[in-house]
Amino acid sequence: MAGSNQLKQYIAFGIDDEIYAVDVLFVESIERMARITRVPHSPYEVLGVINLRGDVIPVMSARRMLGYEEKPPSDATRVAIVRQDEYRVGMIVDRVTEILNVPQDRVQWGVEALDEKRKVAFSGLINLGDKPVMIMDIPRTLELLLN
Amino acid sequence: MDNAQYMELFIEESKEHLRNLNNNLLVLEQQPDNAEVINEIFRSAHTLKGMAGSMGFNSMANLAHTMENVLDAIRKGNMVVSADIMDGLFEAVDILDELLQGIVQSGKENPLDMSDIKAKLQGFLDGTDSTDLGQSPRKSHKEGLSLDDHYLHVIDEAVKNGFTPYYIGVRLKESCLMKAARAYIVFKAIESFGHIIYSDPPAQDIEEEKFGLSFSIVAVCKAELDTIKKELDTISEIESIDIREIQPDDIQSHGQSDTQKAQPSGADRAAATEIKDRLSKTAGRSIRVDIERLDRLMNLVSELIIIKNRIQDLQRYEDTAAMAESVEYLGRVTGELHDAVMKVRMIPLQVVFERFPRTVRDLSRNTGKEVKLNIFGAETEVDRTIIDEIGEPLIHLIRNAVDHGIEPPQERTALGKPPVGVIDLKAYHDGDSVVIEVSDDGRGIDIDKVLQRAIKQNLVSREEAETLNQQEILQFIFEAGFSTAEKVTDISGRGVGMDVVKTKIESMGGTVDVDTSPNHGTRFIIRLPLTLSIIQALLVSVGQEVYAIPIGSIKEILEMPATAIKLIRQKEFIDYRGLLIPFVRLADVLECPGEVKSGDTVIAVIVRKGERLAALSVDDLIGQQEIVIKPLGKALSKINIISGATILGDGSVVLILDINHMI
């Protein structure tokens, strides 16, 4: 049943005017912005840690990861809790736009990061007509950031 | 058969039997005539054989079987315990252990070459007329039937009253799962005909399933042999039953034949019985609990403490007497609950210490030194997380003590010391910590040579070296690569890898110190926190931020004029009771954003790491609180000045400073 028009779900989020997406399988939950405690000596992209229902979880700024200017959070700001192996981190995004159901033949695979400033790995591109949506490669991105 | 569900049980029990084997072999080495210990060893080997066989681990079963044959020969007096035999048995136990490790890791036996050890063990047997138990188990029972005078007397009396004494040997099927229950049915069946006067192993051991597949019973009954046999044949899961009338000349009395040889001395036996009693008492009162369940319980207690702190916080807004009383009560109950749960997680250090006598024995044989290991305080309990981690560093310290600390016997005699070196392993509680000391009465560490080497390896400049005291110099032995560069056995009296010991202990939130004196020996002092998850901490503010400092590492809090800070080579120091100690500005170390507060006075928290002190400057003291340590997660595990985080009553996250990495 590995048909090419099999649907796959992505969570789409916006940073300024761009749209990015993450495979829904990596996303544990979407949370409202919480109070952040700064952690000294942490990587630039990591803003600190938050209290997620009793667990302490590091959060990183998608803006910083993608090379945007830092901007104060708004009501729309969300934290996507991303899980991969032993890593469990929050990713702060400007807004979560929608859940995309994308047939696999609409995804172009093998797209590399666009410029050096971005500490993010991409695994593909969804062409939805009006605007391309970049798919973040969560395992590789976490590795790039934290190792 | 699907073995998966029995696997865990098999591994646990095999570990236990291997531990027993090791311990009892050590006793046997000291008391080669102790029949009770030989029997104990035999039973362990036998059980191990049975269990491994039923799980399909043939190498293990095979080796255990060969061991069993040797032990049986010893048991029957066909063979005398010699140093060679002991070595062979120890080696066999090591190989069994290795096989078990393979099973733990991969679920399969690793293919080990066992022909050497088997040939060795077989070599002991050749020349003795021992029987192979696997082929003729019945014969061995017949030969081995020996009873105390007391039982002979009972049998005599019974015969006079028209009873017939029977010997009944029962062997259960290997597939039998509830051996104790099956044995109970056998006991019941026999008791319906008469009285059981003796069983091997004893009834209590059988009840606790402390036997392999076979057990034997001596009973006096009025029924005919065939009647009893018929009745027993109806019981399922029994492999074989060997029942026969006991003839008077079948029985050897201890009183006549081998009292001298087989019985341990009275004192030894009393001691052994006492230990056994103690163990069986605790065993009777303890249960096995899945560690995950305990962790879950611990997490819930942690949550409770957090919410308690929150309620204490809220009390500020609703401060009535009733509220205050309830909050205080809640505090007390959570405190006690926490203690109770902590205790459940505590395990005596015994489980770690008990393998050391064997280590020391092997080391002293290999090095040709005579070493005695004294263990004190093995009953000291620590958190199970510490149990899992502490073994490796301790083995390292003990190995070093034998290898490099203790001198060869001739050298010791020449120095006027007793030829036998002594290593003391001591454990005790001290406030909120557990202290473990490893000391030897060997040659000690040569401070000068340590310093020379440190200079040679550029760990310290020649000028700086002048200012160091003994403690500071000794710290070099913990530096990574300090002693690995070349063989230092003859230089420092200490071997390789002290940095590993130190890293390991610090990762548990502990410290290690060393103390030495030439020709009198060396002592390592390990200090560990009693619990790893809930601690008392001082909350301090630095700039806009709040941090927690574990109370365990705080020595004192001082307020002092800013002018008391002295500048020595661009580094700040303060005079603390006549001692110059580094003055660390937390705002700088923690890269706190914003203005650095400056005033006429500074607040200095004096912290210690082992014997070393430092003053941490903070802006304000917030207060002392019980905090629950939460890990920062793998993503941030590389930040070493932060040991974890905690959540305060208001839900905010506060980072806990790792003092070990600040000094």
Side-chain angles (χ1 to χ4, degrees):
Chain A
M1 282 287 290
S4 60
N5 45 13
Q6 206 181 353
L7 290 180
K8 217 172 167 182
Q9 287 195 318
Y10 296 90
I11 291 191
F13 59 89
I15 307 281
D16 286 352
D17 295 330
E18 308 286 333
I19 304 288
Y20 297 89
V22 173
D23 189 329
V24 81
L25 294 176
F26 294 113
V27 182
E28 182 185 301
S29 63
I30 305 284
E31 308 288 337
R32 288 186 172 275
M33 190 61 179
R35 186 155 37 145
I36 299 174
T37 300
R38 186 188 67 93
V39 178
H41 301 201
S42 57
Y44 168 73
E45 293 77 10
V46 175
L47 295 186
V49 287
I50 57 164
N51 167 10
L52 179 69
R53 288 179 288 276
D55 287 335
V56 175
I57 299 205
V59 286
M60 38 196 206
S61 153
R63 294 189 72 89
R64 288 192 180 187
M65 291 159 68
L66 292 159
Y68 293 86
E69 287 291 309
E70 196 52 32
K71 204 173 90 178
S74 70
D75 275 354
T77 306
R78 292 289 179 274
V79 186
I81 307 298
V82 175
R83 189 191 270 274
Q84 154 73 6
D85 282 345
E86 290 164 75
Y87 293 112
R88 191 169 171 229
V89 297
M91 186 165 71
I92 301 167
V93 300
D94 283 3
R95 61 191 185 280
V96 171
T97 52
E98 62 194 311
I99 292 181
L100 299 171
N101 287 302
V102 185
Q104 288 302 279
D105 58 0
R106 301 285 296 276
V107 179
Q108 278 172 259
W109 299 107
V111 183
E112 288 303 316
L114 297 184
D115 66 73
E116 300 256 306
K117 242 168 98 186
R118 306 178 172 194
K119 258 199 173 171
V120 170
F122 295 102
S123 58
L125 198 109
I126 306 171
N127 196 349
L128 285 179
D130 50 342
K131 206 168 208 177
V133 176
M134 305 284 285
I135 303 172
M136 283 176 69
D137 183 336
I138 291 297
R140 270 184 59 208
T141 301
L142 289 178
E143 206 168 296
L144 274 173
L145 264 175
L146 303 168
N147 278 321
Chain B
M1 187 174 77
D2 175 21
N3 281 340
Q5 53 181 327
Y6 304 117
M7 193 64 163
E8 208 174 314
L9 196 65
F10 165 73
I11 291 169
E12 278 305 308
E13 292 197 353
S14 302
K15 276 186 190 162
E16 218 166 289
H17 283 295
L18 286 174
R19 225 167 34 223
N20 280 344
L21 278 172
N22 248 323
N23 292 343
N24 285 322
L25 282 173
L26 283 168
V27 177
L28 183 65
E29 196 170 38
Q30 300 304 318
Q31 310 165 6
D33 293 337
N34 190 331
E36 201 168 320
V37 169
I38 297 174
N39 275 325
E40 195 76 27
I41 298 170
F42 179 81
R43 269 201 292 277
S44 288
H46 183 79
T47 314
L48 212 52
K49 176 185 85 171
M51 291 193 311
S54 64
M55 295 294 287
F57 298 130
N58 295 328
S59 306
M60 262 184 100
N62 218 313
L63 182 56
H65 176 64
T66 316
M67 267 184 87
E68 201 185 21
N69 287 341
V70 174
L71 291 161
D72 192 50
I74 298 173
R75 189 163 75 153
K76 288 183 198 148
N78 292 337
M79 200 190 270
V80 181
V81 179
S82 68
D84 281 348
I85 290 179
M86 287 313 299
D87 282 346
L89 291 172
F90 273 125
E91 197 182 321
V93 172
D94 286 345
I95 292 174
L96 287 174
D97 193 39
E98 211 172 311
L99 286 167
L100 184 66
Q101 291 314 319
I103 294 170
V104 171
Q105 276 155 21
S106 61
K108 299 195 292 280
E109 286 177 311
N110 290 335
L112 285 179
D113 180 21
M114 303 202 301
S115 47
D116 276 1
I117 177 69
K118 284 183 72 178
K120 200 184 234 176
L121 292 179
Q122 199 57 46
F124 301 139
L125 284 169
D126 294 343
T128 67
D129 58 345
S130 68
T131 46
D132 188 309
L133 286 169
Q135 282 144 30
S136 54
R138 293 173 190 202
K139 205 173 163 202
S140 73
H141 273 303
K142 189 169 178 183
E143 286 169 358
L145 184 61
S146 70
L147 294 173
D148 272 343
D149 282 346
H150 158 70
Y151 295 117
L152 292 180
H153 190 70
V154 174
I155 292 176
D156 274 351
E157 282 296 307
V159 171
K160 276 181 205 153
N161 289 319
F163 285 87
T164 318
Y166 290 106
Y167 165 84
I168 304 159
V170 179
R171 189 174 166 80
L172 299 174
K173 285 204 167 121
E174 295 213 341
S175 58
C176 177
L177 288 180
M178 301 202 312
K179 295 185 297 176
R182 202 50 70 188
Y184 174 78
I185 295 175
V186 174
F187 271 60
K188 272 286 164 227
I190 296 168
E191 274 170 354
S192 66
F193 297 107
H195 305 286
I196 293 175
I197 56 171
Y198 171 83
S199 77
D200 176 35
Q204 183 164 1
D205 284 359
I206 293 180
E207 259 172 48
E208 288 168 7
E209 231 169 79
K210 285 185 197 151
F211 67 107
L213 288 171
S214 36
F215 56 91
S216 52
I217 292 168
V218 173
V220 289
C221 306
K222 278 197 166 154
E224 294 291 315
L225 189 142
D226 281 346
T227 324
I228 301 174
K229 184 157 171 45
K230 222 184 215 166
E231 179 67 29
L232 292 180
D233 278 343
T234 64
I235 301 171
S236 58
E237 286 195 305
I238 288 181
E239 178 86 37
S240 63
I241 293 174
D242 172 23
I243 173 167
R244 58 174 185 269
E245 225 174 277
I246 296 176
Q247 306 300 329
D249 54 345
D250 256 1
I251 309 166
Q252 295 176 308
S253 152
H254 278 317
Q256 292 146 10
S257 60
D258 41 18
T259 316
Q260 298 298 319
K261 210 178 107 265
Q263 291 300 310
S265 70
D268 285 345
R269 206 159 55 155
T273 325
E274 190 196 323
I275 290 166
K276 244 195 192 157
D277 279 358
R278 242 188 23 223
L279 286 178
S280 63
K281 262 181 210 151
T282 33
R285 285 190 288 116
S286 65
I287 50 165
R288 265 184 203 177
V289 181
D290 190 334
I291 273 163
E292 271 176 33
R293 289 191 198 175
L294 282 187
D295 287 346
R296 167 108 184 99
L297 194 57
M298 192 64 194
N299 284 343
L300 286 174
V301 171
S302 307
E303 292 302 306
L304 192 59
I305 288 175
I306 291 172
I307 194 77
K308 178 210 77 179
N309 288 344
R310 180 162 167 70
I311 291 174
Q312 272 171 349
D313 248 20
L314 289 175
Q315 195 187 344
R316 282 182 310 196
Y317 305 108
E318 175 116 16
D319 196 9
T320 64
M323 178 78 178
E325 201 179 302
S326 315
V327 167
E328 197 201 309
Y329 186 60
L330 177 64
R332 219 165 43 230
V333 173
T334 24
E336 276 172 31
L337 182 61
H338 172 219
D339 279 354
V341 172
M342 283 308 307
K343 288 224 174 69
V344 174
R345 291 166 52 95
M346 302 277 257
I347 298 172
L349 277 165
Q350 172 72 22
V351 291
V352 181
F353 285 4
E354 67 185 0
R355 60 184 157 133
F356 296 153
R358 171 72 202 280
T359 313
V360 169
R361 171 200 175 270
D362 289 359
L363 283 170
S364 48
R365 272 183 80 89
N366 291 342
T367 53
K369 296 173 184 174
E370 289 177 49
V371 187
K372 186 173 185 312
L373 175 71
N374 294 323
I375 295 181
F376 306 95
E379 72 284 350
T380 310
E381 293 191 325
V382 298
D383 196 88
R384 68 159 183 89
T385 33
I386 292 179
I387 292 282
D388 295 343
E389 306 279 319
I390 194 69
E392 195 190 325
L394 284 180
I395 283 256
H396 210 98
L397 291 178
I398 290 174
R399 195 182 298 270
N400 274 347
V402 179
D403 269 358
H404 313 304
I406 306 276
E407 312 89 335
Q410 313 86 306
E411 201 179 319
R412 290 182 65 91
T413 320
L415 284 165
K417 292 183 181 183
V420 180
V422 177
I423 297 177
D424 283 343
L425 180 61
K426 240 183 258 180
Y428 54 92
H429 283 147
D430 180 20
D432 266 350
S433 12
V434 181
V435 182
I436 304 174
E437 294 182 8
V438 180
S439 52
D440 64 64
D441 66 346
R443 52 170 76 99
I445 301 175
D446 190 329
I447 305 273
D448 284 342
K449 289 190 172 149
V450 171
L451 189 57
Q452 291 315 315
R453 167 156 290 271
I455 293 169
K456 204 170 146 199
Q457 294 200 331
N458 288 327
L459 296 170
V460 64
S461 70
R462 210 165 275 280
E463 308 88 72
E464 260 180 288
E466 311 260 309
T467 65
L468 297 176
N469 63 26
Q470 175 170 335
Q471 265 307 316
E472 287 165 326
I473 296 169
L474 280 172
Q475 291 302 321
F476 288 122
I477 65 169
F478 295 114
E479 292 288 335
F482 172 72
S483 47
T484 48
E486 68 185 67
K487 204 178 164 211
V488 285
T489 310
D490 49 333
I491 299 180
S492 64
R494 279 299 146 196
V496 216
M498 291 305 296
D499 58 318
V500 182
V501 171
K502 183 173 143 152
T503 312
K504 191 95 199 183
I505 285 163
E506 287 183 352
S507 75
M508 289 183 264
T511 57
V512 53
D513 272 301
V514 55
D515 193 3
T516 190
S517 135
N519 286 331
H520 284 91
T522 307
R523 181 167 63 130
F524 285 89
I525 307 132
I526 297 170
R527 193 173 275 272
L528 292 164
L530 206 50
T531 138
L532 296 183
S533 52
I534 300 181
I535 57 165
Q536 288 286 338
L538 176 72
L539 298 182
V540 298
S541 72
V542 182
Q544 302 295 308
E545 299 172 336
V546 177
Y547 289 90
I549 305 174
I551 288 286
S553 46
I554 298 178
K555 202 168 152 58
E556 197 177 343
I557 298 165
L558 297 175
E559 201 166 335
M560 55 173 72
T563 51
I565 303 165
K566 298 181 169 68
L567 206 62
I568 304 172
R569 273 194 219 135
Q570 266 78 64
K571 282 183 183 157
E572 290 180 309
F573 288 84
I574 59 162
D575 186 331
Y576 175 69
R577 299 179 196 278
L579 215 64
L580 273 186
I581 63 172
F583 182 77
V584 180
R585 294 183 184 269
L586 275 185
D588 294 345
V589 175
L590 301 170
E591 298 167 349
C592 289
E595 280 291 287
V596 178
K597 202 173 138 186
S598 59
D600 294 342
T601 57
V602 290
I603 301 172
V605 180
I606 312 292
V607 291
R608 66 156 176 248
K609 170 204 188 184
E611 305 284 310
R612 287 201 275 176
L613 300 173
L616 306 180
S617 82
V618 302
D619 291 347
D620 240 321
L621 304 172
I622 296 172
Q624 184 177 334
Q625 208 177 85
E626 186 171 51
I627 62 168
V628 179
I629 302 177
K630 305 257 181 187
L632 274 190
K634 188 161 185 283
L636 297 176
S637 57
K638 284 199 198 119
I639 301 170
N640 59 16
I641 58 167
I642 305 293
S643 63
T646 191
I647 296 172
L648 296 187
D650 65 357
S652 63
V653 180
V654 163
L655 303 177
I656 304 163
L657 300 181
D658 188 341
I659 300 304
N660 283 334
H661 287 97
M662 296 217 147
I663 300 184

